[in-house]
Amino acid sequence: IPVELYSLASLSFLDLETNTLTGELFPPEMFARSNTLERFRASINTFTPGTIPTEIGNFLKLEQIWIASTNRTGTIPDEINLMVSLENIAFSDNSLTGKIPDLSALTLLRKVVMFNNKLTGTLPAELGNFTGLTDFSFAENELTGTIPDSFSNLSDLEELFLHSNEFRGSIPTGFAALSNLKAFDVENNDLTGKIPGFNNTKLSFFKASNNDLSGTIPATLFELENIRNLYLSNNTLSGTIPLNYGNATELIDLYLDGNSLTGTIPNITQVELPSITEILLNSNSLSGDVPDGLCGLRSALAEQFTVL
């Protein structure tokens, strides 16, 4: 980045994303703009590997900091909590380590995206106080502990991605009432207990495969008018497939394989599931015949349809 850019006295928005820029991401000259810079976007570049400097806390007006995939290492400095104007943070696809720092002063946060790092420790329960959060992703880290019940207070939350960590405990029941939730992914953890009866009308993507969830599949999942992708593979779910699974008319993928489901497969027709492309029911304890409607579905959709 030419350091001369930071001599521009009124510089407030700098977007350098998706290039092949090299050199230092945070040269000393940058901090001369700590009183003017409001948006800084530099994700997806090839900067020299380095840390996030403690001086980052000097950017009191900064609303956006997007530095995903910029070869960042080390810990996230505690001084980030001084950046009281922050609304959007994107630190994903780096090699950041250590615990999630205190963010309690960042009350304007809307989006926090830090997936694919090496963060450890637990999710701070106080993040549940940020009712303005819409996007929250700490997927593909090394986080432990439980998913805080306080996250059920995130009334504006639209996307929650916590997959591929080491979370244990149950899915907080309060998530089932988050009316703005569109995407929910807790795959590849150590979660136990029952799946809450989600009735979020905007929910279109639900992924909880590869955990140790038990109990029956909530029939409410198939009453969600926008549900398109439902992945529950490789848990210990029992009972029968809900009879109403044909009510989820927007379904594209339905993965129920690798569980302990019993009983017969409820009949279904293409009219009920016009967009379905994959139904995975293998590795259960289902019995009886494959229903005629399901066979008809496969015939009607030909190569795009898979049932196992």
Side-chain angles (χ1 to χ4, degrees):
I1 303 173
V3 295
E4 290 80 8
L5 281 175
Y6 298 116
S7 66
L8 301 173
S10 299
L11 184 65
S12 63
F13 183 13
L14 182 58
D15 190 342
L16 306 168
E17 284 197 305
T18 316
N19 285 289
T20 53
L21 296 172
T22 58
E24 295 296 326
L25 174 59
F26 295 108
E29 292 83 358
M30 179 181 182
F31 300 100
R33 295 279 66 83
S34 60
N35 291 325
T36 63
L37 201 59
E38 296 177 0
R39 287 179 285 177
F40 179 62
R41 302 175 181 175
S43 297
I44 314 176
N45 278 288
T46 54
F47 295 112
T48 301
T51 61
I52 301 173
T54 58
E55 291 85 356
I56 201 75
N58 296 334
F59 287 92
L60 302 183
K61 292 186 177 181
L62 201 65
E63 299 171 2
Q64 296 179 351
I65 179 167
W66 296 359
I67 55 171
S69 190
T70 55
N71 294 318
R72 294 306 93 194
T73 60
T75 61
I76 302 170
D78 292 334
E79 286 77 6
I80 194 173
N81 202 35
L82 301 174
M83 303 169 70
V84 293
S85 297
L86 270 182
E87 298 177 8
N88 298 336
I89 302 174
F91 289 175
S92 54
D93 290 321
N94 283 295
S95 298
L96 296 171
T97 57
K99 296 182 178 180
I100 300 169
D102 180 16
L103 303 174
S104 59
L106 309 185
T107 57
L108 300 179
L109 281 178
R110 300 285 292 173
K111 298 183 179 182
V112 182
V113 181
M114 299 192 186
F115 66 83
N116 193 22
N117 279 286
K118 299 177 182 179
L119 298 173
T120 55
T122 60
L123 284 176
E126 58 267 23
L127 292 176
N129 297 328
F130 295 167
T131 54
L133 271 177
T134 60
D135 297 78
F136 189 84
S137 177
F138 278 85
E140 299 177 55
N141 278 286
E142 300 170 15
L143 298 173
T144 57
T146 61
I147 302 173
D149 288 335
S150 62
F151 279 32
S152 300
N153 299 326
L154 300 175
S155 55
D156 288 346
L157 193 64
E158 297 178 3
E159 297 185 351
L160 179 68
F161 292 99
L162 299 176
H163 60 85
S164 303
N165 280 286
E166 299 173 24
F167 292 121
R168 53 179 175 76
S170 59
I171 299 173
T173 57
F175 283 161
L178 294 177
S179 59
N180 291 299
L181 192 63
K182 298 177 182 178
F184 179 84
D185 190 347
V186 293
E187 183 183 45
N188 294 330
N189 281 289
D190 298 312
L191 298 174
T192 56
K194 297 182 178 180
I195 300 172
F198 280 76
N199 56 10
N200 321 59
T201 56
K202 296 181 181 179
L203 191 63
S204 63
F205 184 93
F206 186 95
K207 200 167 192 177
S209 299
N210 302 324
N211 282 285
D212 196 21
L213 298 169
S214 58
T216 59
I217 299 172
T220 56
L221 288 173
F222 298 102
E223 300 295 337
L224 302 177
E225 59 191 56
N226 291 302
I227 194 71
R228 296 169 63 85
N229 307 95
L230 181 57
Y231 305 104
L232 301 176
S233 304
N234 301 320
N235 283 286
T236 55
L237 298 171
S238 59
T240 59
I241 299 171
L243 294 174
N244 67 334
Y245 84 119
N247 292 352
T249 56
E250 298 296 317
L251 260 184
I252 296 174
D253 296 333
L254 176 62
Y255 288 17
L256 304 179
D257 54 301
N259 282 288
S260 300
L261 300 174
T262 57
T264 59
I265 302 172
N267 200 9
I268 205 70
T269 67
Q270 186 180 359
V271 174
E272 292 171 295
L273 296 181
S275 301
I276 197 73
T277 61
E278 293 188 348
I279 299 177
L280 272 60
L281 304 176
N282 55 291
S283 303
N284 280 287
S285 298
L286 298 169
S287 58
D289 296 330
V290 177
D292 293 340
L294 200 60
C295 295
L297 250 183
R298 183 174 185 175
S299 174
L301 296 173
E303 293 181 357
Q304 74 185 61
F305 181 71
T306 302
V307 58
L308 293 172

